[in-house]
Every structure is written in structure tokens, then in C-alpha cells.
Amino acid sequence: MKPLKGVILDVDGTLVDSNDAHTSAWVEALQRGGYTVPRGKVRRLIGMGADNLLPEAITVEKESDEGKRLSDAWSEIFKEDYLHGLKAFPSTRELLERMRKDGLKLVVASSAKDEMLETLLDTAGATDLIEGKTSSDDAKNSKPEPDIVKAALDKLGMGANEVLMLGDTPYDIEAAGKLGIGVVALRCGGFTDVDFECAVAIYDDPEDLLENYDKSHLARK
């Protein structure tokens, strides 16, 4: 690996404590549509965009009329009932500031829609620290497909061997892995070490990573 120059950041479940909120919004949206899906099943799919989540959860394609209705319902519920009550994980901004201090360029790769992403980045205290962002609006397919991560890599203008990704789901690892990008995984999104077997390192949350920063892959020069 060449000297590290950039970090691709996931947001939901990585910088902002939002995965349970996404789960609740999806369960309610599906119920409104007449689908009863166990919360645990939905929770395991958080980290995917609707284009992958809906077929996995109920075998409905996002671009179908039914899929569009369910996606719109989820978006409405999440924005109205959850989005503005979310909190960043402890030391999130401090971690980003440390990376910037070390000269690393930061770009966001999120499955969220751009309108939601703006609020999430503000919640994380990240807006003024990132070089750019990519969302589901910038890619045809969401994670675990690599489209969004590839768009972020292109914004950085770097090679895959010059960056790492910070994520919280196995879908981050799969998407980045398809491009040859290593992932530092965080447990705070609710997944376990078994899900992170292909990660280059695992930490509890941004605070844990910050406390161990000097020994981490992020400090590799």
C-alpha cells in the first residue's frame, strides 16, 4: 500500500447513530404497505439502499410502482420522525479533525439521498471538514455494489491503494473490496466482528479509533 492520502467515509451508523432509526422507519413503511417483516431481518439490511433492501426484504423492486410507494413512505417517515433527532457518535468531529490535521483528504460515500445527507453531515459536524460527498443520487446502484464508493474515489482523484474506507456494515466492506479498498470497521452500527472478517481493522466507534489513532492504519505513512 502506498502512503495513505485519503479516507472515504460512510455516515449512517459510522459517524451518526442512525441505523436503528432507519430500521424503525423501514418497518413502519413496510407495515403501511401491508408487509410484516421481522425487525431483525430489516436491521440486517441497513446499510443497503432501497434498491437492494426491498428485493432482499420482500422481493419487490425499487423501481416498481410498489417499490416507489414504499421508498417514498420510508423517506417521509424517516425525515419527519427521526432525522432531526439523531446524534453523532462521541468524538466523531474530533476524529475527522485529526485526520485532516494529518493531511488526509476526506470524502463521503453514503447510500442516503442527498437531501438527507446534508442534515446527517451537519449532525456529525463534518460539513466543513470533507472535500466532497457522493450519495445514492450519484450512483445507479447502492452498496454492496461499488458504484457509490467508486464515485467517492473519483472525487478524491486517488488510487485504491492510497485510500481507506471507514464503515460500519458488511456492505461497506463488500463495496470497497470490489475496488481493492481496505475498510476500517466500526461496531457502533450494530454489526459484529463476524460481519467484519474482511476488514483491515475493527474498533468500537469513532472515539475508540481516535484513542488508538497513532497505532491505527490511519496513521500509516
Side-chain angles (χ1 to χ4, degrees):
M1 182 175 178
K2 290 185 178 180
L4 187 66
K5 294 182 178 180
V7 178
I8 297 173
L9 302 165
D10 177 60
V11 178
D12 283 298
T14 299
L15 307 181
V16 178
D17 189 1
S18 56
N19 285 357
D20 285 338
H22 280 297
T23 303
S24 296
W26 270 118
V27 169
E28 184 174 340
L30 292 169
Q31 287 176 339
R32 286 186 186 181
Y35 300 92
T36 300
V37 183
R39 182 180 177 88
K41 181 176 181 178
V42 176
R43 185 63 176 78
R44 288 286 306 173
L45 301 176
I46 298 303
M48 295 181 174
D51 60 320
N52 287 314
L53 185 148
L54 285 172
E56 288 285 338
I58 56 172
T59 65
V60 168
E61 296 298 322
K62 179 189 175 185
E63 295 307 316
S64 67
D65 289 342
E66 180 72 351
K68 290 176 181 177
R69 283 193 293 270
L70 292 168
S71 295
D72 289 345
W74 162 78
S75 180
E76 175 187 339
I77 293 165
F78 185 75
K79 286 190 291 186
E80 291 186 0
D81 296 344
Y82 298 102
L83 180 59
H84 297 286
L86 299 175
K87 304 292 184 184
F89 289 110
S91 300
T92 289
R93 181 174 173 84
E94 291 82 357
L95 174 61
L96 302 181
E97 288 176 331
R98 175 62 191 272
M99 288 190 279
R100 284 296 301 268
K101 181 180 178 182
D102 276 7
L104 298 175
K105 291 187 176 181
L106 310 178
V107 67
V108 165
S110 172
S111 293
K113 288 186 172 293
D114 195 58
E115 58 180 317
M116 294 185 189
L117 185 55
E118 294 288 348
T119 301
L120 291 167
L121 290 173
D122 185 59
T123 298
T127 304
D128 61 325
L129 298 174
I130 61 172
E131 300 288 328
K133 63 183 186 300
T134 58
S135 68
S136 60
D137 297 319
D138 299 303
K140 181 179 179 181
N141 302 302
S142 70
K143 303 168 191 172
E145 296 306 313
D147 304 31
I148 294 172
V149 180
K150 177 63 165 59
L153 184 64
D154 290 344
K155 282 185 180 291
L156 283 172
M158 299 173 185
N161 60 350
E162 297 176 303
V163 306
L164 288 172
M165 184 170 179
L166 192 62
D168 70 296
T169 75
Y171 315 120
D172 293 316
I173 296 172
E174 184 176 347
K178 290 174 181 177
L179 301 172
I181 298 171
V183 176
V184 175
L186 302 182
R187 301 182 181 100
C188 49
F191 289 84
T192 69
D193 290 11
V194 174
D195 300 303
F196 299 146
E197 61 180 356
C198 293
V200 300
I202 307 171
Y203 297 89
D204 288 338
D205 52 23
E207 186 171 59
D208 183 29
L209 177 52
L210 180 62
E211 289 175 354
N212 293 281
Y213 187 94
D214 290 332
K215 297 178 289 184
S216 76
H217 286 70
L218 297 178
R220 181 185 293 169
K221 298 300 182 183

